[in-house]
Amino acid sequence: MSDCIFCKIVQGDIPAEKVYEDEEFIVFADANPQAPIHHLVIPRDHISDLMEVKDKEMLGRLFAVVQKVAWQEGLAPEGFRVVNNCGEKGGQTVEHLHFHLLGGRFMEWPPG
Ligand code: AMP
Ligand code: ZN
């Protein structure tokens, strides 16, 4: 989508600190990190949110990328958090499906 900031990252039109990419997904550093490690895992295709996912098997492949990046970034042994904010009340601010991968500190509960 032409006005989607994450589509612009996928297309290389705006810069991002990429830590992983393959033909289906990219992972890059969040611009406003909430933890020492805070990455965003997104599909290259524009899907606005979790409820708009038609290809459910894509979610399994996306979580395989989460596992890969958790190992790559040294998060796997100690633990980490994966967050998806869905829709307005879920706190979603960018309408391109993304999962936050957060780690490098103890995570608290409940979230705000
Ligand atoms: P959410 O509130 O779940 O929709 O998360 C959107 C996330 O995207 C926020 O954590 C923002 O800091 C992050 N973000 C917005 N624009 C950019 C950008 N250009 N590069 C990296 N992260 C971004
Ligand atoms: Zn998009």
Side-chain angles (χ1 to χ4, degrees), residues 5-6 9 14 28-32 38 40 85 91-94 98 100:
I5 195 158
F6 287 178
I9 287 175
I14 65 168
F28 54 94
D30 193 295
N32 183 22
H38 184 174
L40 300 171
N85 298 324
Q92 184 174 3
T93 60
V94 177
H98 54 282
H100 299 255

Side-chain angles (χ1 to χ4, degrees), residues 41-60:
V41 183
I42 74 167
R44 289 181 183 273
D45 289 344
H46 182 88
I47 300 168
S48 58
D49 66 38
L50 186 60
M51 299 310 290
E52 290 300 318
V53 174
K54 307 276 186 284
D55 173 12
K56 309 294 190 287
E57 289 176 5
M58 182 272 282
L59 294 171

Side-chain angles (χ1 to χ4, degrees), residues 1 4 6-7 46 96:
M1 261 180 55
C4 171
F6 287 178
C7 282
H46 182 88
H96 181 129

Side-chain angles (χ1 to χ4, degrees), residues 9 11 18 20 27 29 36-37 46 60 65-66 68 73 75-76 84-85 91-92 94 96 98 104-105:
I9 287 175
Q11 285 150 14
K18 287 185 202 161
Y20 175 88
V27 184
I37 294 175
H46 182 88
V65 169
V66 169
K68 228 179 257 185
E73 300 298 304
L75 295 171
N84 173 252
N85 298 324
Q92 184 174 3
V94 177
H96 181 129
H98 54 282
R105 66 167 171 83

